[in-house]
Amino acid sequence: MSLRVPQLRFEPSDDLAALCKAGGDPLRLNVLRALANDSFGVLELAQIFAIGQSGISHHLKVLAQAGLVASRREGNAIFYRRALPASERPGGALHTALLMEVDGLHLPSAVRERVAAVHRQRAAASSDFFARIADSFQARQDLIAGLPQYRDSVLALLDALPRPPGATALEVGPGDGGFLPDLARRFSRVVAEDNSPAMLELARMRCGADALDNVDLVLADALDATRTPADCVVLNMVLHHFAVPAEALRHLARRVRPGGSLLITELCRHDQSWAREACGDLWLGFEQEELAHWAAAAGLTPGESLYIGLRNGFQIQVRHFAKPDAKQTQV
């Protein structure tokens, strides 16, 4: 009679083996590359890599088991992003080194084209939404968080920042212009940029009612880094409407003058998927560390943060990120 030998588990080598297995497939490496500055749903990744849903789900499961990707559920969809390496855990150094190598890869042109197609689909959905709901914008905003619920917190951070004489501000996606009077009182010149003519008309009406003569309303793509920079760039409940938030943050950081600031008001991560249809949200808020990681990658440094709990269960994060002044850094 033979004795049954118990299966041995060699921790932490098992964790290292899972990491090596996950990194041993070209498709999985390209998925990690595609997730470098974005997160995608399972169906989006299936479209990008021209593979069936069950096939991409298998590869994502392997990556998740190795701790290389993290997932979140948004309604009936599951979205994946790259997981941040944990240096104190077994395999942390290998995880970091693997991502560094992956970031040096060039995605095949067909994959890049399909990624761009997914981004266009997201942007079109957001643009179509705002064209439809201009007349009910404020009511829809109030379903989650209207300006009165976070205005004082944004102004508290704003008023704590040093402003040079003649400082300028840029508000991206001003909505109905509710925050423009506050900016106009604090800055010598304010530019408000939006890619929706209908929303820009609402802001124009607000500026007229408040006789704001130092505010310029511009129909433009705020991610065009060649446009004029500002000492302070403000985004109030806007980032979750961008097709690629990490990429948007990188472009917006270029619109901040050295020594200037980027102020972001956003929802913390939530699972209320109805916000997609009711409010046109592409993303259901963001994790605090996500914003910090994207800002750091864009060359910004974190400043003060405020968090506001709402009675409806949502939580707002008001974040300040600074753009270092090279001259001051050298002194």
Side-chain angles (χ1 to χ4, degrees), residues 248-327:
L249 202 55
R250 184 171 65 85
H251 285 287
L252 291 168
R254 297 175 181 172
R255 302 289 305 272
V256 181
R257 287 198 178 102
S261 299
L262 175 65
L263 287 180
I264 299 177
T265 305
E266 260 303 338
L267 291 170
C268 295
R269 177 75 66 199
H270 63 88
D271 59 1
Q272 301 301 309
S273 58
W274 57 265
R276 287 181 177 274
E277 179 62 28
C279 303
D281 296 4
L282 292 179
W283 307 102
L284 301 182
F286 302 100
E287 299 287 355
Q288 293 91 318
E289 59 267 25
E290 275 184 312
L291 290 184
H293 179 69
W294 295 340
L300 303 175
T301 58
E304 296 294 327
S305 299
L306 297 174
Y307 297 90
I308 309 160
L310 305 179
R311 285 181 297 176
N312 58 11
F314 291 96
Q315 187 177 33
I316 295 173
Q317 50 183 316
V318 184
R319 311 290 296 274
H320 166 232
F321 299 100
K323 187 168 188 175
D325 189 330
K327 294 180 181 178

Side-chain angles (χ1 to χ4, degrees), residues 159-183:
D159 289 340
L161 300 176
R163 291 194 293 272
T168 61
L170 164 66
E171 184 173 13
V172 176
D176 63 1
F179 198 61
L180 291 176
D182 295 302
L183 292 175

Side-chain angles (χ1 to χ4, degrees), residues 183-298:
L183 292 175
R185 286 191 290 269
R186 289 166 171 80
F187 294 89
S188 64
R189 180 171 176 265
V190 178
V191 176
E193 293 183 357
D194 205 307
N195 63 358
S196 168
M199 299 308 298
L200 209 59
E201 183 58 31
L202 293 180
R204 194 179 309 280
M205 293 170 60
R206 177 65 63 99
C207 290
D210 288 68
L212 304 181
D213 58 4
N214 63 335
V215 176
D216 295 325
L217 300 173
V218 182
L219 181 65
D221 179 2
L223 302 187
D224 181 358
T226 64
R227 296 190 60 79
T228 304
D231 295 293
C232 183
V233 176
V234 178
L235 289 87
N236 287 327
M237 297 296 178
V238 171
L239 194 61
H240 58 246
H241 293 299
F242 279 105
V244 193
E247 188 74 4
L249 202 55
R250 184 171 65 85
H251 285 287
L252 291 168
R254 297 175 181 172
R255 302 289 305 272
V256 181
R257 287 198 178 102
S261 299
L262 175 65
L263 287 180
I264 299 177
T265 305
E266 260 303 338
L267 291 170
C268 295
R269 177 75 66 199
H270 63 88
D271 59 1
Q272 301 301 309
S273 58
W274 57 265
R276 287 181 177 274
E277 179 62 28
C279 303
D281 296 4
L282 292 179
W283 307 102
L284 301 182
F286 302 100
E287 299 287 355
Q288 293 91 318
E289 59 267 25
E290 275 184 312
L291 290 184
H293 179 69
W294 295 340

